[in-house]
Amino acid sequence: MEKYRNRIRTRFFKRLLISVLFSACFITLYAQQDTLNQNNFSFILSSDSFSQNEDILFELTLEQIKPEEIQYLPYKWPQGVNLRLLRKQEIFSPKGTKIDLWLKFDSPGLYKLDDFHLTIKKNNLEQTINASFPQILINKDLSSESPLLTVCFEDGTTVSSDNIQAQTININKQKSQVIRFSVYAQFTKQILSFEYEIPKDSIFIQTKKYEFPATLESEDYFSDKLIQIADYEWTLLNDKPQSFPLMTMQCINLQNNPVTIELHDFYVESVFEEKSDDSQKNNLYEEVFNATSPAIEENSNSKKSETDCADLADRLGKNRFIKILFFTILSVIIITFIFIIFILRYKSNKLISIIYFSILVLVFIFSYTTIMKKNKAIFTNGYLYSIPDENAVKTETIQPGTQVKIAEKTNRWYYIQTETAKGWCLKNQLILF
């Protein structure tokens, strides 16, 4: 009778062992084919501001794939888009291959390139995958531009320091009415000082002075954005054209040289007349200096890169889950195998059974806590801070799509680390996985 029970018990554990081994093989094959089952990938841009004739880096990460398993398919580049460099290199965090693709654009404009195709040969299987390019806005090459001082009146009239030739500006205001205008700087990396003279026969008030943004000094790209310096109110006390006050700006130009820019030699006169609808539509300031459209395009590019980061975090999260699941199944197999050996050798023993199930529970608890503990993330954008405060010193920035390790967190702040950088950032700058 005892021999019969042992045979039944042995047969049961053999079937259990076969089932667990089959599940482990299935999970292993699924993990190996996980990357190949994803047909669509996306390149990630190295920054968010680009200009013509600049080498621009597009990055693509393929996990669990070796460089020798990747082949490029022929690609026809559009006119004006030049391939500068295409290389693949093995990476270890995460394990796989990173493809660096450098392009140069001859003309400014908004570009949307066709998908880039690659062939992956892995485990005697061959599959073609598509890598999409994000929409990219190429700005004009500003490296040779000179700094400008620009006056923008409230009716849309603008005057810049590069196009003044003793002209007279007619402002649609009655005498003794307040003329409001703002002064902007452009094509400069840093503003050192700004001074102005008080005009005669008028009331001239500086209503607001803006702080010079120190962050421009550290920018490694050329920017054409307008930097607001001050707002003014000016009341003319006579009907004659009034000389505009001399304004002087000392700044650092885009070639990193100190220069002095003056805005003067033109006159302002109040001429009251009704404006037609056509003149309001042809507002030079709205057409030239309105930043709404570029902002929308910039936000769309930002959303695109955030989407790429979210996809990358989703893929890394799935791979992490598969690895933990594989570890759990392998642990169950080993523990069950040892348990069977003890049962066959020492026959039925309640202590062995209790130990067996206790170890299984510990394995499952460990796996669950590991899955729930999200101590890694993908960095999306922004700066790192020295302390968890938005007014703190900005230490450095990390490229979007970089995998980081979370070392500490407090409220909405996270202390993150990479191989080359570390610091505090906000939770909305990360995508946890």
Side-chain angles (χ1 to χ4, degrees):
M1 190 67 179
E2 185 66 24
K3 291 183 180 180
Y4 176 75
R5 290 178 180 176
N6 289 337
R7 284 200 303 269
I8 295 297
R9 192 182 296 115
T10 304
R11 190 179 306 162
F12 168 76
F13 283 113
K14 284 183 178 179
R15 291 175 180 176
L16 177 61
L17 183 60
I18 292 173
S19 301
V20 174
L21 288 174
F22 178 79
S23 301
C25 293
F26 176 78
I27 294 296
T28 304
L29 291 175
Y30 178 81
Q32 291 179 349
Q33 299 301 322
D34 178 66
T35 304
L36 291 179
N37 289 336
Q38 301 174 19
N39 293 354
N40 299 314
F41 295 84
S42 299
F43 282 97
I44 296 177
L45 289 169
S46 57
S47 63
D48 56 2
S49 181
F50 312 97
S51 61
Q52 64 185 114
N53 299 320
E54 172 191 358
D55 290 337
I56 301 173
L57 172 61
F58 295 79
E59 296 177 314
L60 176 65
T61 301
L62 301 175
E63 299 176 19
Q64 306 301 326
I65 297 178
K66 298 179 181 179
E68 57 269 19
E69 297 172 339
I70 302 173
Q71 292 183 353
Y72 307 123
L73 295 181
Y75 187 90
K76 185 177 180 181
W77 299 102
Q79 186 175 2
V81 180
N82 305 305
L83 176 63
R84 304 287 289 174
L85 179 65
L86 178 60
R87 68 182 179 187
K88 51 188 177 181
Q89 56 183 336
E90 187 174 3
I91 57 176
F92 301 96
S93 179
K95 188 175 181 180
T97 301
K98 187 178 77 166
I99 297 177
D100 293 338
L101 191 150
W102 296 82
L103 298 178
K104 186 177 77 170
F105 296 80
D106 295 338
S107 304
L110 190 63
Y111 290 83
K112 185 64 179 78
L113 304 178
D114 294 334
D115 291 352
F116 191 79
H117 304 292
L118 308 99
T119 298
I120 297 178
K121 294 183 178 179
K122 187 179 179 69
N123 298 331
N124 297 323
L125 296 176
E126 181 175 335
Q127 184 171 349
T128 300
I129 64 171
N130 305 319
S132 61
F133 289 93
Q135 186 172 269
I136 179 172
L137 177 64
I138 303 299
N139 301 309
K140 181 182 177 183
D141 184 10
L142 306 174
S143 59
S144 61
E145 295 287 346
S146 300
L148 292 180
L149 269 178
T150 302
V151 176
C152 301
F153 293 91
E154 61 182 332
D155 66 347
T157 304
T158 62
V159 180
S160 297
S161 56
D162 65 337
N163 60 2
I164 299 176
Q165 297 178 352
Q167 57 179 322
T168 299
I169 305 299
N170 294 326
I171 302 297
N172 187 25
K173 290 282 187 179
Q174 293 180 341
K175 186 181 72 171
S176 301
Q177 281 189 324
V178 177
I179 299 174
R180 296 180 178 85
F181 65 90
S182 300
V183 180
Y184 297 85
Q186 195 177 19
F187 305 124
T188 175
K189 285 191 173 182
Q190 186 184 15
I191 301 173
L192 302 177
S193 65
F194 176 78
E195 299 175 352
Y196 64 94
E197 294 182 354
I198 304 295
K200 299 178 180 180
D201 300 326
S202 61
I203 302 174
F204 192 83
I205 302 173
Q206 184 184 71
T207 57
K208 186 173 183 179
K209 184 178 180 180
Y210 298 88
E211 293 184 2
F212 305 146
T215 54
L216 290 176
E217 186 179 8
S218 62
E219 291 182 353
D220 55 357
Y221 60 89
F222 300 125
S223 174
D224 62 346
K225 61 184 177 183
L226 292 172
I227 307 167
Q228 195 162 6
I229 298 177
D231 297 333
Y232 296 92
E233 290 184 353
W234 189 16
T235 304
L236 304 183
L237 301 180
N238 56 49
D239 295 331
K240 296 180 180 179
Q242 176 70 48
S243 176
F244 192 82
L246 172 64
M247 293 186 172
T248 306
M249 175 182 69
Q250 293 183 340
C251 63
I252 303 296
N253 62 14
L254 299 182
Q255 295 79 36
N256 294 317
N257 299 317
V259 294
T260 301
I261 305 298
E262 293 185 348
L263 181 65
H264 63 109
D265 290 341
F266 74 97
Y267 297 85
V268 177
E269 183 178 9
S270 293
V271 179
F272 181 72
E273 59 182 12
E274 293 291 336
K275 271 190 141 184
S276 65
D277 293 339
D278 293 337
S279 64
Q280 292 178 358
K281 292 179 181 178
N282 297 326
N283 189 317
L284 179 62
Y285 176 74
E286 290 182 355
E287 291 181 359
V288 179
F289 295 101
N290 194 330
T292 301
S293 296
I296 293 175
E297 293 171 356
E298 183 177 346
N299 287 338
S300 64
N301 288 340
S302 176
K303 288 182 179 178
K304 179 65 177 176
S305 65
E306 288 179 4
T307 302
D308 295 337
C309 293
D311 292 340
L312 178 59
D314 182 63
R315 292 200 300 270
L316 292 175
K318 288 181 179 178
N319 289 342
R320 180 171 175 268
F321 175 78
I322 291 173
K323 290 178 181 178
I324 296 173
L325 185 61
F326 179 74
F327 165 78
T328 304
I329 294 177
L330 185 61
S331 300
V332 171
I333 292 174
I334 295 173
I335 296 170
T336 304
F337 182 75
I338 296 174
F339 175 69
I340 292 173
I341 293 176
F342 272 89
I343 289 295
L344 294 177
R345 185 170 182 177
Y346 299 104
K347 299 183 180 181
S348 180
N349 191 315
K350 290 183 179 181
L351 180 60
I352 296 177
S353 301
I354 293 173
I355 295 174
Y356 168 72
F357 287 109
S358 299
I359 295 175
L360 286 184
V361 170
L362 291 176
V363 169
F364 287 124
I365 292 175
F366 174 78
S367 300
Y368 177 77
T369 54
T370 305
I371 292 174
M372 298 304 296
K373 183 181 178 181
K374 297 183 178 181
N375 60 347
K376 292 185 179 180
I378 297 298
F379 190 82
T380 58
N381 57 67
Y383 292 90
L384 296 183
Y385 297 83
S386 57
I387 59 175
D389 190 335
E390 293 187 43
N391 296 322
V393 177
K394 297 176 181 178
T395 56
E396 52 192 319
T397 185
I398 302 178
Q399 290 187 1
T402 302
Q403 181 178 335
V404 300
K405 181 181 179 180
I406 299 174
E408 184 181 351
K409 60 181 179 179
T410 169
N411 296 330
R412 60 194 185 102
W413 288 91
Y414 286 77
Y415 188 79
I416 61 174
Q417 296 176 337
T418 65
E419 295 179 356
T420 58
K422 58 183 178 180
W424 291 92
C425 70
L426 291 168
K427 183 178 180 180
N428 56 17
Q429 295 176 253
L430 302 173
I431 300 178
L432 305 179
F433 68 88

